[in-house]
């Protein structure tokens, strides 16, 4: 290759890198630390104003003594086994599930799309975080989101999630699971807290129905350590209740 061509190529590279750097300086990527941390999410993108202005944000600290006992509809997890795909999206590890798993509560019905993890748990119970939480994200036919949170405490190895924690994917390298039944992740007891909230990541859209299961499930110290190799902390701080009522199933 001629020297002039190499120089031209070098100049082009330098230009595109400068453009990239400038773009990132103006729009730092959202995250949990540094310039893109949760306190700055609303400033990163005009689409994120709810992160700052909405009065119904998640996560929250659930004070059990303030929760209102209510005859909440039992949660029916009509989940099905099927092939699943694990992805690392740069913010968490997410397990995408095929259609066919449905959450029912009374007359409401929503399809399970995916579940993903946060460490520590974003939700607090009586002011305390658990080491991890899984969020099961469902969408109804009319587009409403409904999330079920499953808390994790440290204990025995979680056998259901062994195929997940043994093969956590790197960014851009999805891992396929031949067959996975999300119902096996849930605790036997489905008693739950219910409140209205939001997505806990940008754009922080509100109008999300939250159901936090009271009974935690276990995972081992080693499994938690595997996740911490990828993400040490990916939890948004708790948000003000602003008068919202947390209901608890009787
Ligand atoms: Zn989440």
């Amino acid at each position: 290759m001629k020297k002039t061509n190499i120089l031209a190529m070098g100049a082009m590279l330098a230009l595109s890198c400068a453009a990239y750097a400038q773009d990132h300086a103006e729009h730092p990527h959202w995250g949990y630390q540094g310039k893109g941390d949760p306190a700055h999410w609303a400033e990163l993108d005009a689409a994120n104003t709810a992160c700052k202005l909405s009065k119904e944000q998640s996560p929250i600290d659930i004070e059990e003594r303030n929760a209102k006992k209510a005859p909440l509809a039992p949660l029916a997890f009509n989940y099905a086994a099927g092939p699943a795909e694990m992805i690392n999206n740069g913010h968490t590890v997410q397990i995408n599930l095929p259609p066919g798993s449905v959450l029912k509560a009374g007359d409401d019905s929503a399809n399970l799309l995916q579940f993903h993890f946060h460490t520590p748990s974003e939700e607090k119970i009586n002011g305390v975080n658990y080491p991890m939480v899984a969020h099961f994200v469902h969408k109804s036919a009319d587009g409403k989101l409904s999330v079920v949170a499953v808390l994790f405490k440290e204990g025995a190895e979680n056998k259901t999630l062994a195929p997940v924690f043994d093969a956590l994917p790197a960014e851009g390298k999805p891992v396929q699971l031949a067959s996975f039944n999300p119902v096996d992740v849930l605790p036997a007891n489905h008693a739950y807290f219910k409140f209205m909230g939001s997505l806990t990541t940008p754009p922080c859209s509100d109008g999300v129905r939250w159901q936090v299961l009271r009974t935690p499930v276990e995972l081992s110290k080693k499994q938690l350590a595997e996740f911490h190799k990828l993400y040490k902390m990916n939890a948004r701080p708790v948000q003000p209740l602003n008068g919202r009522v947390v209901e608890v199933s009787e």
Side-chain angles (χ1 to χ4, degrees):
M1 194 182 286
K2 281 183 191 169
K3 197 178 171 191
T4 46
N5 283 352
I6 293 171
L7 280 175
M9 265 182 65
M12 269 169 62
L13 261 175
L15 262 175
S16 58
C17 287
Y20 178 82
Q22 192 181 15
D23 184 52
H24 271 237
E26 283 169 10
H27 300 287
H29 203 52
W30 71 267
Y32 296 94
Q33 270 140 359
K35 284 187 177 162
D37 76 3
H40 296 95
W41 286 354
E43 302 154 21
L44 300 180
D45 193 315
N48 297 353
T49 50
C51 302
K52 192 173 188 171
L53 299 180
S54 149
K55 301 290 183 204
E56 287 198 339
Q57 289 288 286
S58 291
I60 59 167
D61 181 7
I62 297 168
E63 295 273 1
E64 286 185 294
R65 67 191 155 88
N66 292 337
K68 187 181 158 201
K69 280 196 175 142
L72 301 180
L75 300 176
F77 295 93
N78 299 335
Y79 290 175
E85 182 182 60
M86 282 201 284
I87 60 158
N88 181 334
N89 62 18
H91 304 289
T92 188
V93 171
Q94 178 172 310
I95 291 89
N96 293 325
L97 300 154
S101 287
V102 178
L103 168 66
K104 287 198 169 153
D107 293 334
D108 292 327
S109 164
N111 295 300
L112 178 62
L113 304 177
Q114 48 99 344
F115 70 95
H116 60 266
F117 303 97
H118 299 271
T119 184
S121 74
E122 298 196 297
E123 305 73 8
K124 287 184 175 182
I125 308 289
N126 304 323
V128 180
N129 296 97
Y130 280 76
M132 182 173 273
V133 69
H135 288 158
F136 288 73
V137 181
H138 310 77
K139 198 175 197 175
S140 68
D142 59 354
K144 294 208 173 72
L145 291 176
S146 171
V147 182
V148 171
V150 177
L151 299 161
F152 289 85
K153 62 178 182 183
E154 216 176 280
E157 186 195 17
N158 189 310
K159 295 242 160 56
T160 303
L161 289 172
V164 172
F165 290 114
D166 288 349
L168 290 168
E171 271 188 78
K173 303 227 163 116
V175 172
Q176 310 301 324
L177 299 172
S179 182
F180 188 87
N181 193 338
V183 85
D184 297 333
V185 183
L186 306 171
N189 187 329
H190 297 162
Y192 66 104
F193 299 103
K194 181 185 172 191
F195 52 91
M196 289 306 290
S198 70
L199 300 179
T200 66
T201 54
C204 309
S205 321
D206 52 22
V208 178
R209 186 205 308 215
W210 279 87
Q211 293 115 151
V212 177
L213 300 188
R214 295 188 81 173
T215 309
V217 296
E218 295 186 11
L219 91 169
S220 68
K221 194 177 206 139
K222 186 171 174 291
Q223 290 179 313
L224 193 58
E226 286 300 324
F227 191 84
H228 284 170
K229 283 182 194 167
L230 297 178
Y231 297 102
K232 274 204 169 56
M233 200 289 279
N234 65 342
R236 187 188 195 193
V238 290
Q239 303 294 306
L241 263 185
N242 294 319
R244 275 176 287 172
V245 174
V246 175
E247 294 181 309
V248 59
S249 54
E250 288 174 325

